[in-house]
Amino acid sequence: MSNIMNSLYNMRILDDLARKETAIHKIHPLVKLLTTVSYLTVVVSFGKYDIGGLLPLLIYPSMVFALAELPVKPIFMRILLVSPFMIGIGILNPFFDHQIYLLGGKEISRGWITFLSILIKSGLTVTAALLLIATTGMDRLAGALRMLKIPRVFVLQLLLTYRYISVLMEEVARTLRAYSLRAPEQKGVHRSAWGSLAGQLILRTFDRAQRIYEAMCLRGFTGEYHTGGFKEIRVWELAYLAGWVLFFAAARIYNIPMVIGSLITGVIR
């Protein structure tokens, strides 16, 4: 039960972080969305062996963390939740890619290089997406998507799925609480009750969804989820977008760590 309540709290903490009033939070949602999309595009465009080129892209999430005054632990814990999927995707690479790569005078399979590249790319993309939600909020992000003419059905589905996962978990917590009150000396749910509890949860979920829909209709819902208007994009916000896009492009075109190493080597010589 405590694990479910902790999960509910952890889900809502991103919405709480999005209510802060830092400079990053005040940036227009569309600007932050376009910046994040540009960042994700550049990250996934790197080759499977190009780990060094990805390192400069760590600057973006680090700067957002600092300027938005976000705690690292909640974001890091969410990255750990998806880490098994990252590992599952890349763990087989060392068994299929047996080409030898020299690293510091030692031979290493290129499969491990691609595995590490997948982990870095996945970590960067997940972190960027979480930072976007933590500094914007799902409602404002949905408004930015509608400004890009994304179909309202897709935006509505995304928004309601995100928002009402917590409702489903509350129903699960309520069902488990009722079960524990009827079996106070039993730890957990007995396997013989799994089927009936799952059926009750499905029925309660359908009933709750119907009541939510009826409440939305009574408040004037006609298929469009209105998130309110936005102010016009200001000049400094466009400069923010342009600056990051130029940096991402430079990091993609040039191997910045190699360029810096060459300059240092040239000075030493």
Side-chain angles (χ1 to χ4, degrees):
M1 182 68 66
S2 60
N3 291 335
I4 295 178
M5 300 311 296
N6 289 335
S7 299
L8 285 172
Y9 169 75
N10 291 332
M11 289 181 60
R12 291 169 179 167
I13 195 172
L14 289 179
D15 293 327
D16 295 337
L17 293 175
R19 298 188 184 98
K20 301 182 74 172
E21 294 292 334
T22 65
I24 296 294
H25 287 78
K26 294 179 180 179
I27 295 176
H28 197 283
L30 182 58
V31 171
K32 287 185 283 188
L33 176 61
L34 294 176
T35 303
T36 303
V37 171
S38 302
Y39 180 77
L40 298 180
T41 303
V42 171
V43 169
V44 299
S45 68
F46 276 87
K48 58 182 179 180
Y49 301 125
D50 194 2
I51 295 179
L54 290 169
L55 297 181
L57 296 177
L58 291 170
I59 295 176
Y60 173 70
S62 301
M63 290 290 293
V64 174
F65 266 115
L67 295 176
E69 301 176 1
L70 296 176
V72 177
K73 184 178 178 179
I75 306 296
F76 181 72
M77 294 302 294
R78 281 159 178 76
I79 298 174
L80 290 181
L81 289 177
V82 299
S83 59
F85 299 98
M86 304 177 191
I87 297 174
I89 292 172
I91 194 60
L92 295 179
N93 282 2
F95 298 99
F96 293 102
D97 192 348
H98 298 288
Q99 296 184 19
I100 302 301
Y101 180 79
L102 292 178
L103 181 63
K106 296 183 179 181
E107 294 184 353
I108 184 173
S109 171
R110 284 198 172 188
W112 290 108
I113 302 296
T114 57
F115 175 55
L116 182 59
S117 175
I118 289 174
L119 289 182
I120 295 176
K121 287 182 179 180
S122 301
L124 291 176
T125 52
V126 172
T127 302
L130 291 174
L131 290 177
L132 176 62
I133 298 174
T135 58
T136 308
M138 189 55 71
D139 287 341
R140 302 181 70 199
L141 182 58
L145 290 172
R146 291 296 291 137
M147 292 179 67
L148 292 176
K149 305 303 180 182
I150 302 297
R152 68 177 184 178
V153 174
F154 174 79
V155 176
L156 182 64
Q157 187 69 33
L158 175 66
L159 190 60
L160 294 183
T161 300
Y162 175 84
R163 184 163 300 280
Y164 291 108
I165 285 177
S166 60
V167 176
L168 174 61
M169 297 187 68
E170 287 174 357
E171 291 294 337
V172 174
R174 192 174 292 110
T175 302
L176 293 180
R177 186 182 299 111
Y179 179 87
S180 63
L181 290 175
R182 288 166 174 79
E185 297 181 357
Q186 183 176 315
K187 293 184 178 180
V189 179
H190 194 271
R191 66 181 64 182
S192 62
W194 288 358
S196 60
L197 280 181
Q200 288 293 326
L201 179 61
I202 292 174
L203 293 176
R204 291 171 65 92
T205 301
F206 283 146
D207 180 65
R208 186 68 177 270
Q210 184 63 32
R211 286 187 281 124
I212 289 174
Y213 175 71
E214 291 173 355
M216 293 172 64
C217 290
L218 289 174
R219 289 167 173 81
F221 176 72
T222 58
E224 181 73 52
Y225 192 94
H226 298 285
T227 57
F230 297 118
K231 297 180 180 179
E232 293 184 357
I233 299 177
R234 292 163 288 188
V235 175
W236 71 272
E237 292 172 332
L238 291 175
Y240 174 89
L241 173 61
W244 280 121
V245 170
L246 289 175
F247 172 74
F248 300 152
R252 183 64 186 91
I253 296 172
Y254 304 103
N255 191 322
I256 296 179
M258 185 175 294
V259 171
I260 295 176
S262 300
L263 291 176
I264 295 176
T265 303
V267 171
I268 293 176
R269 290 179 182 177

